């Protein structure tokens, strides 16, 4: 007799295929949060089109009591609500998985697969019978299928009712209508269908973690980091960062009498926005802009001015699919080189590489200290996957005793005492000069800022030796930055190995799961997660300590690999690219599969 199929508890992937603009986002998000409220971690990804209405959209929920926060790959239950993508959606279901669909209209047998279980619920017929208005029928259909899924998967209906109460707080009529729709779907399944072999059961695996978007976390980090000026121009996927900053400032930077202690400017374009930021930075304010790759492209002239005139600025780059307009609503890590060397001429810019919303908060604050300390533009490199998706992350922590690092600022008293001030004079040998705030002293500490060559006392000069000396000092400053950037985090394999892997950012959770899978196959790899640029000596020591280093990143050309070669002089043959760039977040299966294949090929070549 064949063995009975076991029930999988708190470990499966559900994917919703919807039509953009159908009102499904709220219902799908509620589905994910209901499982979270039952104490089971979830990893949710919103995969949406760049148009306003009509094109396909997907929402993937990984239910994972083990706590994996990356995408696994594959789908166990497809909620197929979009006829346009039916064939593709059905093909994505794992063998033995489930297809949930609206069976109001019959479909030919050819539209199904023999190796999956099909679950039909007449959603449209039920809603047509219950509601008069077409919009009501569409919106409540989403809640009806959430109720049906709750019955199929064992989700506590009371939890969803509580979420509905919170979402529509103060609107009793709307709450009652949604609860009725929820029960409509739940009752139908209870009376007509059996529960699935995929089940959600209460657990205690969430702990004190919070569920938040990276853009919101970065915005709060900017507030705690002392930012008072935000100048921005709307662009996906960074807009919600400026919007979140606005909300936080209204709560946290407004005096009791209603006076705002901040300035938020929606500029006429990206060029104006970074110009405002650089101007505010010169005047002593902590200022930032948020944008994406196309915005950085437009900002490069002012970024070069910030570099050469040495004015603090912060740019949150929420990366998307490029080049040009590319894929505005898809994720990539393809702005690394563009940010690191932004502007013409010889420039180098520090970058921070957060891996989750918790680090978006921490690095969102740190970026302003670094910008002031180094007197330059600092990039915080998010991507759409972190910025626009909600992630489980550690609670934000802040030390109230922490003082903002304003760097080398010469005071009125020092100037009054006759201390030598040269705006570009390297007094300490670290490449960082002293600056003054405008108006700090009536007769001393003034200087002329411009993007042209000058001597250490800010006097215009085109002498070659003066220019070279200045450029070499900027390089010394970049070297100083190595000690200020968050250090990488190393993860040793269980056994000694000649192989290493380097990764960063949103790749992190999938990478950790892939390492576990590889170890299960007897393949051991030391791992190093980068958290910033320039690369510290630890990064180069890791590369030097391994015969082969896989570099995992989400772009076509291996931009991180190129930076490692450029900045570290690493032999290209030693750095093996593992590249994922279709616009979807990278999966553990992809990473493990690619590295296993590369290791197997290397073994074959060695044997030959």
């Amino acid at each position: 007799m064949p063995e009975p199929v076991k029930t999988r508890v708190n470990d499966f992937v559900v994917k919703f295929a919807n039509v953009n603009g159908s009102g499904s986002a709220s219902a799908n998000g509620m589905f994910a949060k209901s499982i979270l409220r039952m104490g089971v971690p979830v990893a949710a990804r919103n995969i949406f089109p760049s148009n306003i209405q009509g094109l396909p959209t997907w929402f993937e929920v990984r239910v994972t009591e083990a706590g994996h926060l990356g995408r696994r790959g594959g789908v166990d239950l497809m909620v197929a609500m979009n006829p346009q993508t039916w064939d593709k959606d059905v093909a994505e279901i794992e063998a033995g998985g489930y297809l949930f669909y609206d069976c109001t209209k019959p479909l030919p047998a050819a539209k199904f697969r023999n190796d999956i279980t099909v679950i039909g619920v007449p959603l449209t017929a039920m809603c047509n019978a219950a509601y008069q208005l077409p919009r009501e029928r569409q919106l409540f259909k989403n809640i009806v299928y959430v109720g049906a899924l709750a019955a199929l998967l064992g989700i506590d209906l009371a939890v969803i009712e509580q979420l509905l109460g919170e979402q529509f707080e103060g609107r009793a009529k709307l709450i009652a209508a949604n609860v009725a729709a929820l029960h409509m779907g739940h009752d139908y399944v209870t009376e007509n269908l059996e529960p699935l072999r995929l089940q959600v059961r209460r657990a205690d695996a969430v702990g004190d973690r919070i569920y938040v978007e990276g853009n919101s976390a970065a915005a709060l980090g900017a507030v705690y980091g002392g930012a008072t000026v935000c100048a921005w121009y709307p662009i996906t996927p960074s807009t919600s960062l400026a919007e979140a900053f606005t909300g936080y400032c209204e709560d946290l930077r407004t005096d009791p009498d209603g006076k705002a202690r901040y300035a938020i400017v929606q500029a006429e374009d990206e060029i104006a926005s970074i110009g405002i930021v650089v101007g505010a930075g010169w005047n002593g304010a902590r200022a930032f802009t948020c944008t994406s790759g196309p915005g950085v492209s437009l900002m490069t002239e002012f970024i070069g001015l910030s570099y050469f005139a040495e004015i603090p600025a912060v740019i949150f780059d929420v990366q998307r699919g490029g080049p040009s307009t590319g894929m505005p609503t898809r994720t990539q890590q393809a702005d690394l080189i563009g940010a690191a060397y932004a502007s013409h001429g010889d420039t180098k810019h520090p970058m921070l590489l957060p891996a989750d919303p918790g680090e978006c908060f921490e690095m969102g604050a740190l970026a302003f200290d670094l910008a002031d300390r180094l007197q330059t533009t600092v990039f915080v490199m998010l991507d759409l996957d972190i910025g626009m998706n909600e992630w489980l992350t550690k609670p934000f922590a802040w030390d109230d005793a922490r003082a903002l690092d304003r760097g080398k600022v010469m005071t009125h008293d020092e100037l009054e005492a006759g201390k030598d001030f040269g705006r570009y004079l390297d007094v300490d040998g670290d490449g960082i000069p002293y600056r003054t705030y405008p108006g700090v002293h009536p007769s001393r500490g003034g200087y002329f800022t411009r993007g042209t060559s000058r001597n250490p006392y800010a006097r215009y000069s085109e002498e070659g030796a003066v220019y070279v000396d200045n450029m070499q000092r900027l390089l010394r400053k970049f070297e100083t930055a190595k000690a200020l950037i968050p250090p990488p985090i190393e993860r040793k394999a269980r056994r000694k190995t000649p192989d290493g892997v380097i990764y960063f950012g949103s790749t992190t959770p999938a990478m950790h799961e892939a390492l576990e899978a590889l170890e299960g196959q007897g393949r051991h790899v030391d791992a190093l997660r980068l958290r910033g640029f320039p690369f510290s000596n630890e990064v180069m020591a890791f590369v030097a300590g391994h015969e082969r280093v896989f570099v995992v990143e989400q772009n076509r050309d291996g931009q991180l690999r190129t930076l490692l070669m450029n900045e570290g002089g690493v032999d290209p043959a030693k750095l093996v690219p593992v590249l994922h760039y279709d616009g979807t977040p990278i999966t553990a299966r992809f990473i493990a599969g690619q590295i296993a294949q590369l290791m197997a090929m290397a073994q074959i070549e060695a044997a030959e």
Side-chain angles (χ1 to χ4, degrees):
M1 291 180 60
E3 291 187 7
V5 179
K6 294 181 180 178
T7 297
R8 290 167 57 186
V9 177
N10 296 345
D11 182 19
F12 54 88
V13 174
V14 181
K15 191 168 185 177
F16 298 82
N18 297 100
V19 178
N20 197 30
S22 63
S24 60
S26 177
N28 296 345
M30 191 175 301
F31 172 85
K33 289 178 181 176
S34 67
I35 297 170
L36 198 61
R37 289 282 180 95
M38 292 178 68
V40 182
V42 298
R45 297 291 191 282
N46 190 13
I47 304 166
F48 59 101
S50 57
N51 75 328
I52 297 173
Q53 192 167 5
L55 286 183
T57 183
W58 293 269
F59 187 72
E60 186 177 289
V61 181
R62 184 177 186 184
V63 182
T64 167
E65 186 171 349
H68 299 302
L69 298 181
R71 290 182 72 214
R72 183 199 69 184
V75 176
D76 300 305
L77 167 60
M78 177 67 74
V79 182
M81 305 299 293
N82 186 354
Q84 289 183 335
T85 58
W86 177 276
D87 292 338
K88 178 182 176 183
D89 296 331
V90 171
E92 200 173 348
I93 302 170
E94 302 270 280
Y98 295 91
L99 169 67
F100 177 99
Y101 82 112
D102 179 0
C103 66
T104 298
K105 292 182 179 179
L107 293 173
K111 302 299 285 185
F112 302 100
R113 283 169 43 191
N114 294 327
D115 61 344
I116 61 175
T117 300
V118 178
I119 307 156
V121 175
L123 298 169
T124 299
M126 293 164 68
C127 290
N128 287 348
Y131 306 106
Q132 296 298 317
L133 301 175
R135 188 58 177 164
E136 280 188 331
R137 289 171 175 171
Q138 176 57 53
L139 292 178
F140 282 119
K141 185 163 69 175
N142 300 325
I143 301 300
V144 172
Y145 75 58
V146 170
L149 293 172
L152 289 166
L153 298 170
I155 300 172
D156 189 341
L157 212 55
V159 173
I160 307 177
E161 291 176 351
Q162 183 182 9
L163 287 167
L164 285 169
E166 294 171 6
Q167 180 171 338
F168 300 111
E169 185 178 4
R171 291 178 284 179
K173 190 175 179 180
L174 206 50
I175 294 173
N178 276 277
V179 169
L182 184 72
H183 280 269
M184 189 189 305
H186 193 275
D187 292 348
Y188 178 88
V189 169
T190 304
E191 295 166 6
N192 297 282
L193 299 170
E194 296 292 326
L196 307 188
R197 294 186 303 277
L198 308 174
Q199 288 291 296
V200 179
R201 291 181 189 162
R202 284 190 177 277
D204 187 20
V206 174
D208 63 349
R209 285 179 290 177
I210 59 176
Y211 193 56
V212 64
E213 292 178 353
N215 280 352
S216 180
L220 187 60
V223 173
Y224 275 74
T228 56
V229 176
C230 168
W232 64 294
Y233 185 73
I235 183 171
T236 302
S238 71
T239 296
S240 61
L241 199 159
E243 293 171 341
F245 183 74
T246 302
Y248 289 131
C249 284
E250 289 172 351
D251 292 338
L252 302 172
R253 290 204 187 283
T254 304
D255 289 338
D257 60 1
K259 183 178 180 182
R261 293 182 289 111
Y262 59 91
I264 299 172
V265 182
Q266 181 177 329
E268 65 265 36
D269 55 30
E270 286 89 348
I271 302 170
S273 66
I274 187 64
I276 293 169
V277 168
V278 172
W282 171 80
N283 206 33
R286 289 196 155 186
F288 76 94
T289 187
C290 51
T291 188
S292 191
V296 174
S297 297
L298 291 167
M299 294 176 182
T300 54
E301 179 72 25
F302 270 115
I303 294 170
L305 176 64
S306 164
Y307 176 80
F308 201 56
E310 299 181 66
I311 298 171
V314 172
I315 297 177
F316 292 92
D317 181 358
V318 190
Q319 300 165 91
R320 68 188 208 186
S324 188
T325 304
M327 297 193 294
T329 58
R330 305 304 167 108
T331 195
Q332 276 194 354
Q333 299 172 320
D335 295 350
L336 290 187
I337 290 178
Y341 303 129
S343 189
H344 55 274
D346 295 323
T347 56
K348 293 174 186 277
H349 308 291
M351 297 188 292
L352 299 175
L353 308 172
D356 58 28
E359 286 195 342
C360 288
F361 171 74
E362 295 168 0
M363 295 183 182
L366 175 64
F368 293 92
D369 280 354
L370 291 176
D372 272 357
R373 170 59 57 181
L374 296 167
Q375 299 173 35
T376 194
T377 293
V378 173
F379 286 87
V380 185
M381 305 296 289
L382 290 78
D383 60 33
L384 184 145
D385 187 20
I386 298 178
M388 292 192 70
N389 285 316
E390 291 178 299
W391 289 46
L392 266 181
T393 189
K394 61 186 177 183
F396 301 158
W398 185 260
D399 181 0
D400 288 334
R402 172 176 167 176
L404 302 183
D405 179 7
R406 300 310 307 264
K408 296 183 179 181
V409 179
M410 196 163 287
T411 65
H412 174 277
D413 291 345
E414 290 171 323
L415 292 166
E416 185 69 21
K419 190 171 183 178
D420 185 26
F421 173 71
R423 175 63 185 95
Y424 301 108
L425 186 63
D426 185 5
V427 178
D428 305 311
D430 58 3
I432 304 175
Y434 279 81
R435 62 175 173 148
T436 57
Y437 295 141
V440 67
H441 191 280
S443 60
R444 305 197 69 236
Y447 62 95
F448 192 79
T449 296
R450 56 186 166 193
T452 46
S453 182
R454 69 282 162 142
N455 70 11
Y457 289 89
R459 298 188 183 97
Y460 178 72
S461 171
E462 290 188 9
E463 290 185 27
V466 170
Y467 174 82
V468 169
D469 181 67
N470 193 41
M471 294 299 285
Q472 287 298 314
R473 179 183 58 75
L474 289 169
L475 271 186
R476 286 200 300 277
K477 185 166 72 169
F478 198 65
E479 284 293 312
T480 298
K482 289 181 178 178
L484 303 175
I485 294 293
I489 296 177
E490 186 169 1
R491 174 174 168 155
K492 282 283 188 184
R494 291 180 182 173
R495 295 181 186 172
K496 189 175 181 181
T497 172
D499 292 319
V501 62
I502 287 179
Y503 58 100
F504 70 99
S506 66
T507 303
T508 300
M511 186 74 243
H512 291 171
E513 188 176 355
L515 289 171
E516 292 175 11
L518 288 166
E519 283 196 346
Q521 301 167 16
R523 302 182 188 277
H524 299 277
V525 185
D526 292 329
L528 191 75
R529 176 166 75 86
L530 304 187
R531 297 198 295 164
F533 174 81
F535 305 126
S536 67
N537 294 336
E538 295 165 88
V539 177
M540 294 310 154
F542 180 87
V543 174
H546 293 85
E547 295 178 9
R548 177 177 50 185
V549 177
F550 303 103
V551 184
V552 181
E553 51 188 317
Q554 300 181 60
N555 58 67
R556 185 196 67 179
D557 291 343
Q559 296 192 17
L560 175 61
R561 178 173 176 266
T562 300
L563 283 178
L564 288 165
M565 292 187 295
N566 280 1
E567 299 296 323
V570 183
D571 180 358
K574 191 171 188 177
L575 300 175
V576 183
V578 177
L579 307 174
H580 175 91
Y581 51 92
D582 68 2
T584 61
I586 198 168
T587 68
R589 285 184 181 178
F590 174 85
I591 298 171
Q594 289 286 304
I595 291 179
Q597 184 178 6
L598 290 165
M599 293 177 83
M601 290 172 61
Q603 288 173 344
I604 293 171
E605 291 174 0
E608 291 175 344

